Amino acid sequence: MVRLHVKRGDESQFLLEAAASARLADLAPLIARIYNGRLKVQRLCSEMEELAEHGISLPYKMQGLTDEQIEELKLKDEWAEKCVPSGGSIFKKDEIGRRNGHAPNEKMRQVIKRTIEEAKALISKKQVQANVCVTMEMVKDALDQLRGAVMIVYPMGLPPHDPIRMEFEDKEDLSGTQAGLEVIAESEVQLWWAGKELRETKLLSDYVGKNEKTTIIVKIQKRGQGAPGREPLISHEEQKEMMLFYHRKQEELKKLEEDDDDSFLNAEWADSRALKRQFHGVKDIKWRPR
């Protein structure tokens, strides 16, 4: 299997294995699905952290309003009584005004927190350093874990307007957001390797050969953005090591320049006439008055 190190720009994303005979028309959408799936997991983890701290999302018309404004407008959160966390709630006011403040108790909060950590670990960029390949099954597993945690803590479900529920139902609206700019639609995905576009009409082997033990760096981006920047000749880590080595050498040279002590010239081993005196038998003669 050919190992693909997928990057977005200069940032590592994940490792993926594919057969050299794989059709790029199938491989490119798969990479996009994994890439977008990881983004979804990250968005869910971020929202679920807020869920654990401040409870369910308020209706859109109540978000960002003060308590006085809500009372003045006679607005009411009808979902507050329907979506109560298991074991009761603890009030933690959301200063941003997005969530109702009725957070789960400590036990349920820890269920969410632990699940978030496990899901993040499955799709983490650190998997690249650990030499672990990410699959679509791993992304689905992370999503299932997060969904299960929400069902445990909120057995009655979440409001239909809550971003977490919308993510699970694939109804999220990311238009006009930074998160929306990061997503790459399968129809718009483009793969690049060694400054060349990997065209969907070809096989992977048409570019990298038939060696199944090859490892390549593939860059993913939206169609029409042009060729991405090429990989540097040396990695960032190698550059850091070289700079550190150069700095150490500079420090050593600096110490040698500062060390102008010439007392060693009085040492016996530094005496250029020591051998001559030894042959004449006048070594170690000391002169002093009798």
Side-chain angles (χ1 to χ4, degrees):
M1 301 290 276
V2 177
R3 178 160 292 189
L4 288 75
H5 180 176
V6 181
K7 288 189 172 185
R8 178 80 188 272
D10 293 328
E11 191 173 0
S12 293
Q13 299 295 323
F14 56 91
L15 297 177
L16 176 69
E17 286 187 337
S21 58
R23 296 172 63 247
L24 287 164
D26 299 326
L27 185 58
L30 173 62
I31 291 176
R33 283 196 296 274
I34 295 175
Y35 173 78
N36 292 332
R38 291 176 66 257
L39 292 177
K40 179 184 279 287
V41 171
Q42 292 167 7
R43 293 194 302 270
L44 275 166
C45 287
S46 178
E47 287 292 347
M48 285 176 63
E49 286 172 354
E50 293 298 314
L51 178 70
E53 292 294 331
H54 303 295
I56 62 173
S57 178
L58 286 167
Y60 296 126
K61 61 184 179 182
M62 295 178 64
Q63 291 185 14
L65 300 180
T66 63
D67 294 339
E68 291 76 14
Q69 289 172 324
I70 291 174
E71 185 176 350
E72 183 179 344
L73 295 171
K74 298 180 180 179
L75 300 175
K76 184 179 180 181
D77 181 9
E78 298 177 355
W79 294 94
E81 297 178 359
K82 300 177 183 178
C83 305
V84 178
S86 297
S89 62
I90 301 172
F91 188 75
K92 292 183 180 179
K93 184 176 176 60
D94 182 8
E95 299 299 332
I96 302 176
R98 289 183 65 239
R99 297 187 172 272
N100 68 1
H102 297 287
N105 61 33
E106 185 59 27
K107 183 179 178 181
M108 293 294 103
R109 180 172 172 269
Q110 289 304 318
V111 169
I112 295 177
K113 293 286 186 181
R114 284 195 301 270
T115 307
I116 288 173
E117 291 175 4
E118 293 171 3
K120 282 183 175 180
L122 271 176
I123 54 91
S124 172
K125 293 176 182 178
K126 293 181 180 179
Q127 296 282 48
V128 174
Q129 301 169 358
N131 209 27
V132 175
C133 292
V134 175
T135 63
M136 196 62 215
E137 286 68 30
M138 292 170 67
V139 175
K140 290 178 180 177
D141 189 21
L143 291 171
D144 288 341
Q145 288 184 22
L146 295 173
R147 185 182 289 106
V150 172
M151 291 176 65
I152 290 172
V153 180
Y154 288 89
M156 301 301 292
L158 296 175
H161 57 268
D162 195 293
I164 297 172
R165 178 170 170 177
M166 294 178 72
E167 287 280 2
F168 284 135
E169 295 177 353
D170 295 326
K171 296 178 180 178
E172 67 275 16
D173 182 12
L174 303 178
S175 56
T177 66
Q178 181 61 35
L181 296 176
E182 294 175 350
V183 174
I184 301 177
E186 293 181 29
S187 59
E188 297 178 354
V189 66
Q190 201 172 42
L191 302 180
W192 292 78
W193 169 68
K196 293 180 286 189
E197 179 189 351
L198 304 185
R199 299 190 177 278
E200 296 181 357
T201 56
K202 295 182 176 291
L203 304 178
L204 183 59
S205 59
D206 293 335
Y207 294 95
V208 303
K210 296 182 179 180
N211 185 355
E212 294 284 355
K213 295 184 179 180
T214 304
T215 299
I216 64 172
I217 294 177
V218 172
K219 295 200 172 182
I220 180 175
Q221 64 179 33
K222 291 182 180 179
R223 193 178 303 280
Q225 291 183 334
R230 301 194 69 165
E231 285 292 296
L233 295 176
I234 59 174
S235 67
H236 181 63
E237 291 300 321
E238 289 173 333
Q239 186 179 17
K240 285 172 61 178
E241 288 294 328
M242 291 173 63
M243 292 298 293
L244 182 60
F245 176 79
Y246 175 76
H247 177 72
R248 286 173 178 168
K249 283 294 181 184
Q250 288 290 94
E251 290 297 315
E252 290 175 6
L253 291 173
K254 186 177 179 182
K255 288 180 180 179
L256 288 173
E257 290 176 358
E258 293 175 351
D259 188 6
D260 57 355
D261 183 12
D262 58 359
S263 60
F264 67 90
L265 294 175
N266 296 323
E268 183 178 347
W269 58 265
D271 187 357
S272 61
R273 300 179 181 178
L275 183 61
K276 181 179 179 181
R277 286 202 298 270
Q278 184 175 1
F279 282 136
H280 285 81
V282 292
K283 185 181 179 183
D284 296 333
I285 295 177
K286 296 180 181 179
W287 300 94
R288 62 181 180 181
R290 299 180 65 177

